[in-house]
Amino acid sequence: MTSNRCRYEFDPLAWESREGRLGSVDEPWSCQRDAVGDSGWCPFHLPPERYDEFGITARAIRDRLLGELDQSPTGSTGEPTDEPLGLIGARFGDLDLSHGVLDGATNRPIDLRHATIGSLDASYAVVRQPIRLEEATIAGPVDLSDATLTHRVELGRATFEAPVTADDTTFEGRTDWSDCRFGDRVSFRRATFADVATFYAARFEREAVFDNLVCVSEAGFQSATFEDDASFLHASFQERTDFRDATFGRRPDRAGTGTQTEGDATPTAEDCSGTASAGGGADATDGSRVRFTGSTFGRDGLFGRATFAGDALFKKVRFGGTAHFQNAVFDGEASFSGGTFEAGGKFRFSTFCDEASISYADFRDSTYFAGVDFRGYCSFYESSFSEDADFRGVAYDDTARYMDVTFGRRSYFDRASFRDEADFEHVDFGEQVQFVESTFGGEAEFGEVEFGELGRFVGTAFEGEAKFGDADFGERVEIVGAAFEGEFDASGATIRHGRLEGLRPPDERWVVDLRASRFDEGRIVQASGDGVHYDLKRAVLGDVDLVVEGREDTFDRFRIYATEFDGFDFSTYRTELSPEWTIHDGGSSDDDGWTGDDSGENDGDDDDDGPAASAGNRRESEADHAEQDGSERAVGGGASTPRSWLLDVPLLGGIVERRVRSDAAGLEKTYLKAKNGASDVGDNRAASEFFVKEMWFRRQTHLAKALDPGGAGPRRRKSAVRWIMNVFLGVTCGFGEKPQRTLGVAVLLVVVYGGIFALLLPEPPYGTLLGYVVLSIESFTTLVMGGGPTVSDPLVRTVADTEGFFGAFFVGLFVFALTRSIHR
């Protein structure tokens, strides 16, 4: 070693002791070049500020570098070797390699570890040598625009103080930027990494731009930190991409502890920029933004435990593999709108502190959001899940919008907590959905939802209104043990097979709205003390078991009004319905504000088989009834109305109903549908009883029209005639259903005519008072049996002929009623 040899030496042990960590140089190294003059340093280790002292220029340094690169080192055998071009600890000023070609005789690496460079311009350069820049420091700008680096580039722990530009750069070999620090703006626009690119634990202190980046092989950004905006617009990651534990944006210290959130910890309420308040919002972020809009991930995209302190925009991103966001924390707005997830997504235990927009997204494989915490508004509007979707244990602090979402297979929302509005309107739940033990703190909107093979709401709590209007509950739905604080509206719903059991109401009077719904088969089971009522107005009721445990008056809990029965088995309730066969006791008014009050109604006199009120609920007076039942009204009240004088006629007032129901037409229709439903299942007994009810309410309809002061005269007269005919048929034969009535009226008619004969004939026929009865019987059967009594008095003869006419009529009526009753 000559005395004019460069004195630079690198002692790894001393460096590691000083820095407190392992270095990139394993063995001591010393420069073997000659020193410049008496400087003691070779041109590469001479401080740049002394260049002028020895007449050295930056260009001369560049030429010297290229010259040494062209030399071919040889080994002991004289063969060329790949011994590195040793420049460890070199000190460069401004190094200009632009438009140059670094192509040595061999593939010897250019070893610039621990070097310091003022600035580096390698734009449009072609570098065909491996480069090592670990622990290097470049104080000025770095320009690699349009450069091509064909071999491995290692820059671990390098420091870049000024902007780095690598737009349109091509890295054909592996590149390692691990633990690099970028103190200023970084741009890799349209850059191409043909081999593995690693940015593990890299730190970007200013804006980082990777727009239109192409990573042909794996890309790793694990534990990287982006303190300012990060943009990956329309980037293409063709293989596995790893952003696990990465941090986007500068996050405040947690609770003033001076420490950041642990990356591998399950997110807590403090993970949103140090605030536990729901919907931390933009005010809690640092204003930075990371953008992956339009990017493509060919394989898995790994963002597990990543932290996004500002807005995170993944709009229209395509993940060819699984998108992993487990335990990620999004402080600002997060958007995955329009994204495509070919292999599904995994977002387990992530925290979204601000608005989360995952609308129009397409998840083509199983997707997992279990344990996610949505602190702000959350939207999955018009997204689709082709396979299973797991939302178990998810917490929604603000509105959750799932409107028009399509689930292809099974979706699970068990133990989910919706603290505000939950909007599932027009959702298609695919094969199966579960909301077991979930809680809805606000309004739950399931209007026009389509369920598949199974929908389960077991132990679910609805603290606001539960709206299932016009929902299609698919093949089977179970709403068991659910608790409600507000309304439960399932009007217009379709239930093919359902279980509504043990619903827990908020108070003593609570209504399940099933108006205009269709319930084909299943069970409705309720404890007697729960106070739950079911409104089945204009519904279609199929083979459904209605069970009110501990009560015999089951139908008091159900509003049957204009309800259609399609396969309903009335025979199961024959004991409960007999003898009145009243099915509208639960509420019958044509009033949409029905409250489920089962206080009972006086629906008419017991005469003529009119509906009897429930035991213990009869009204003692017309005034009491008018006050307690707004569903009925007196027609034509007042001294000047037909009703007033009609009711004053002795005996007639007892026949004419003293009350006309405003819903009589509806109840007539109700019992018509009940009759048809009973006939369809072959229950003739029920059909007969319901027919009587139908006719009785038809009588009230005619009476209302006849006594209506505002009606036209002909219309009122026609209604009066129809009412009289209805009364006559009800009294004489029970509308063809009770032949014993006809027989009783016939006997009464014979006795009455016998009395008339006693008044007209001073001498009793056949010498005895019974002769009047015998004469009446002979007259009654004249047209049927033939013959007849011999009477000379024309008046008596006329009376006898009229009785004969009535006799023939009642015999025919009896035969008709008897035949009909036997058929029933």
Side-chain angles (χ1 to χ4, degrees):
M1 179 177 180
T2 66
S3 59
N4 200 33
R5 187 69 56 84
C6 179
R7 64 186 183 184
Y8 181 82
E9 294 181 349
F10 185 85
D11 184 354
L13 294 179
W15 186 92
E16 291 173 1
S17 177
R18 182 173 66 253
E19 298 294 331
R21 56 184 173 84
L22 294 176
S24 59
V25 181
D26 297 330
E27 298 178 355
W29 183 86
S30 61
C31 182
Q32 302 300 312
R33 297 179 181 86
D34 292 335
V36 178
D38 59 355
S39 67
W41 307 101
C42 72
F44 297 116
H45 289 100
L46 180 69
E49 59 269 19
R50 297 186 64 184
Y51 282 179
D52 292 341
E53 181 182 345
F54 295 96
I56 296 175
T57 63
R59 185 177 181 81
I61 296 296
R62 171 182 179 273
D63 293 341
R64 176 72 180 269
L65 174 62
L66 295 178
E68 288 196 15
L69 187 61
D70 287 337
Q71 298 176 9
S72 300
T74 58
S76 58
T77 62
E79 296 292 330
T81 68
D82 289 337
E83 180 183 347
L85 176 58
L87 295 169
I88 295 175
R91 290 177 283 196
F92 295 91
D94 296 331
L95 185 58
D96 185 359
L97 300 174
S98 62
H99 299 275
V101 177
L102 280 68
D103 187 8
T106 63
N107 289 331
R108 59 189 306 201
I110 301 175
D111 191 350
L112 291 167
R113 288 177 289 178
H114 295 275
T116 58
I117 304 173
S119 66
L120 174 62
D121 184 358
S123 58
Y124 298 96
V126 177
V127 182
R128 297 194 175 113
Q129 308 294 138
I131 297 177
R132 300 195 68 178
L133 277 165
E134 297 101 315
E135 304 285 356
T137 299
I138 303 178
V142 175
D143 189 354
L144 300 175
S145 301
D146 291 281
T148 301
L149 295 89
T150 62
H151 287 73
R152 184 184 185 102
V153 179
E154 299 182 60
L155 302 103
R157 294 189 183 276
T159 300
F160 300 88
E161 301 288 358
V164 175
T165 303
D167 297 342
D168 299 292
T169 304
T170 300
F171 299 88
E172 296 181 0
R174 297 173 68 95
T175 55
D176 187 356
W177 306 76
S178 298
D179 292 291
C180 284
R181 185 178 73 84
F182 298 90
D184 210 321
R185 187 177 186 274
V186 176
S187 178
F188 283 85
R189 283 191 176 96
R190 298 175 300 279
T192 299
F193 291 90
D195 208 328
V196 176
T198 302
F199 286 83
Y200 175 81
R203 188 178 191 87
F204 300 86
E205 297 179 358
R206 298 292 296 276
E207 180 183 12
V209 180
F210 292 83
D211 296 347
N212 298 104
L213 175 73
V214 176
C215 290
V216 179
S217 188
E218 294 183 4
F221 290 82
Q222 306 98 308
S223 301
T225 300
F226 299 83
E227 296 185 358
D228 206 326
D229 289 354
S231 178
F232 291 81
L233 297 177
H234 305 287
S236 175
F237 300 92
Q238 299 178 16
E239 292 293 333
R240 189 171 184 261
T241 306
D242 194 344
F243 281 85
R244 286 177 295 179
D245 297 298
T247 299
F248 296 88
R250 192 188 303 272
R251 306 190 77 227
D253 293 343
R254 276 178 44 182
T257 63
T259 59
Q260 296 287 324
T261 303
E262 294 296 330
D264 58 353
T266 300
T268 66
E270 296 178 344
D271 284 334
C272 292
S273 293
T275 177
S277 63
D283 294 340
T285 70
D286 66 349
S288 63
R289 176 178 294 183
V290 56
R291 296 180 297 176
F292 284 85
T293 300
S295 296
T296 300
F297 295 81
R299 298 285 295 276
D300 291 354
L302 307 180
F303 290 83
R305 298 184 299 274
T307 299
F308 301 86
D311 295 343
L313 306 180
F314 289 82
K315 297 179 180 179
K316 298 183 180 179
V317 171
R318 180 184 176 276
F319 290 92
T322 304
H324 295 263
F325 286 86
Q326 299 97 318
N327 294 95
V329 177
F330 300 84
D331 279 341
E333 177 186 349
S335 178
F336 292 84
S337 296
T340 300
F341 300 79
E342 297 285 354
K346 296 182 178 180
F347 291 80
R348 292 189 184 99
F349 307 111
S350 293
T351 300
F352 293 83
C353 302
D354 204 336
E355 179 176 335
S357 177
I358 315 178
S359 303
Y360 307 103
D362 184 4
F363 297 89
R364 299 180 179 177
D365 207 335
S366 296
T367 300
Y368 305 89
F369 282 86
V372 169
D373 191 353
F374 291 101
R375 306 284 177 82
Y377 175 85
C378 166
S379 175
F380 286 84
Y381 179 71
E382 282 197 18
S383 291
S384 62
F385 298 83
S386 299
E387 297 294 329
D388 293 352
D390 187 356
F391 290 86
R392 285 176 286 195
V394 175
Y396 304 86
D397 289 353
D398 207 325
T399 299
R401 189 82 63 201
Y402 283 84
M403 183 184 296
D404 293 302
V405 169
T406 300
F407 294 92
R409 295 194 64 195
R410 295 166 295 188
S411 53
Y412 303 93
F413 290 84
D414 301 344
R415 296 177 298 281
S417 175
F418 300 87
R419 294 165 188 165
D420 206 316
E421 178 186 1
D423 186 357
F424 287 86
E425 196 169 8
H426 306 129
V427 169
D428 183 348
F429 278 111
E431 295 181 5
Q432 176 180 334
V433 61
Q434 294 191 171
F435 286 88
V436 177
E437 297 181 1
S438 297
T439 300
F440 293 87
E443 180 179 295
E445 177 61 75
F446 287 84
E448 299 183 36
V449 165
E450 292 186 19
F451 293 83
E453 296 178 2
L454 175 63
R456 301 188 71 215
F457 293 83
V458 179
T460 310
F462 296 90
E463 297 176 2
E465 295 182 8
K467 298 183 177 180
F468 289 81
D470 297 308
D472 184 343
F473 284 99
E475 297 300 321
R476 184 159 60 101
V477 62
E478 298 177 2
I479 305 178
V480 179
F484 296 85
E485 294 295 332
E487 296 180 0
F488 179 18
D489 180 5
S491 57
T494 300
I495 304 174
R496 293 173 181 82
H497 183 96
R499 287 179 58 202
L500 276 65
E501 298 186 14
L503 305 189
R504 293 176 288 168
D507 47 42
E508 295 181 359
R509 292 281 185 263
W510 182 73
V511 177
V512 177
D513 190 350
L514 293 172
R515 290 175 298 171
S517 64
R518 182 179 184 89
F519 201 146
D520 289 339
E521 62 179 42
R523 289 169 58 83
I524 298 178
V525 180
Q526 203 64 48
S528 61
D530 288 344
V532 179
H533 297 72
Y534 295 85
D535 191 346
L536 295 170
K537 178 181 178 181
R538 296 191 177 90
V540 178
L541 200 61
D543 186 12
V544 180
D545 293 334
L546 307 180
V547 180
V548 180
E549 297 173 345
R551 289 175 65 102
E552 294 184 357
D553 49 350
T554 299
F555 287 91
D556 281 356
R557 293 297 186 93
F558 297 88
R559 182 192 190 191
I560 307 296
Y561 187 84
T563 305
E564 184 175 342
F565 299 89
D566 185 8
F568 186 80
D569 187 4
F570 285 100
S571 64
T572 305
Y573 311 94
R574 186 166 294 177
T575 301
E576 300 177 28
L577 292 173
S578 297
E580 291 86 4
W581 289 85
T582 300
I583 62 175
H584 69 276
D585 272 354
S588 58
S589 171
D590 190 15
D591 177 11
D592 290 342
W594 181 64
T595 61
D597 188 355
D598 62 350
S599 58
E601 297 172 343
N602 183 10
D603 297 306
D605 298 332
D606 288 340
D607 296 340
D608 305 335
D609 287 275
S614 300
N617 291 318
R618 297 184 182 275
R619 302 291 181 251
E620 296 181 358
S621 67
E622 181 176 333
D624 292 339
H625 193 90
E627 291 178 0
Q628 298 182 36
D629 186 2
S631 67
E632 298 183 0
R633 61 181 174 86
V635 177
S640 61
T641 63
R643 175 180 179 275
S644 62
W645 58 261
L646 192 61
L647 294 179
D648 288 337
V649 177
L651 298 179
L652 187 58
I655 299 175
V656 177
E657 287 81 358
R658 295 177 177 271
R659 177 158 304 281
V660 178
R661 301 180 59 106
S662 63
D663 56 356
L667 289 175
E668 176 191 346
K669 184 177 180 181
T670 297
Y671 284 97
L672 169 63
K673 290 178 177 291
K675 177 196 71 176
N676 293 338
S679 296
D680 290 342
V681 297
D683 190 347
N684 294 324
R685 166 73 184 283
S688 173
E689 299 291 346
F690 292 144
F691 174 69
V692 173
K693 293 287 189 182
E694 174 195 353
M695 298 303 293
W696 191 86
F697 284 112
R698 184 177 298 176
R699 178 192 309 173
Q700 288 207 347
T701 302
H702 294 327
L703 181 61
K705 294 177 180 179
L707 301 182
D708 183 6
R715 177 175 178 270
R716 291 173 58 185
R717 286 191 293 273
K718 180 183 288 187
S719 296
V721 171
R722 290 177 176 175
W723 174 78
I724 293 172
M725 291 300 299
N726 185 287
V727 172
F728 176 76
L729 290 175
V731 171
T732 58
C733 64
F735 305 107
E737 301 293 336
K738 301 182 182 301
Q740 66 272 22
R741 287 260 183 107
T742 308
L743 188 60
V745 172
V747 171
L748 179 61
L749 193 63
V750 168
V751 173
V752 169
Y753 269 90
I756 294 174
F757 286 137
L759 294 176
L760 298 178
L761 296 175
E763 296 294 330
Y766 306 110
T768 177
L769 291 176
L770 289 178
Y772 295 114
V773 176
V774 174
L775 177 61
S776 180
I777 293 175
E778 291 176 345
S779 299
F780 188 85
T781 59
T782 296
L783 296 180
V784 178
M785 305 296 294
T790 302
V791 180
S792 60
D793 189 331
L795 178 61
V796 175
R797 184 67 207 176
T798 300
V799 172
D801 289 343
T802 59
E803 184 180 9
F805 170 78
F806 284 118
F809 175 81
F810 277 100
V811 169
L813 190 61
F814 176 77
V815 172
F816 164 73
L818 181 62
T819 304
R820 184 180 175 89
S821 64
I822 293 175
H823 174 71
R824 291 289 191 187

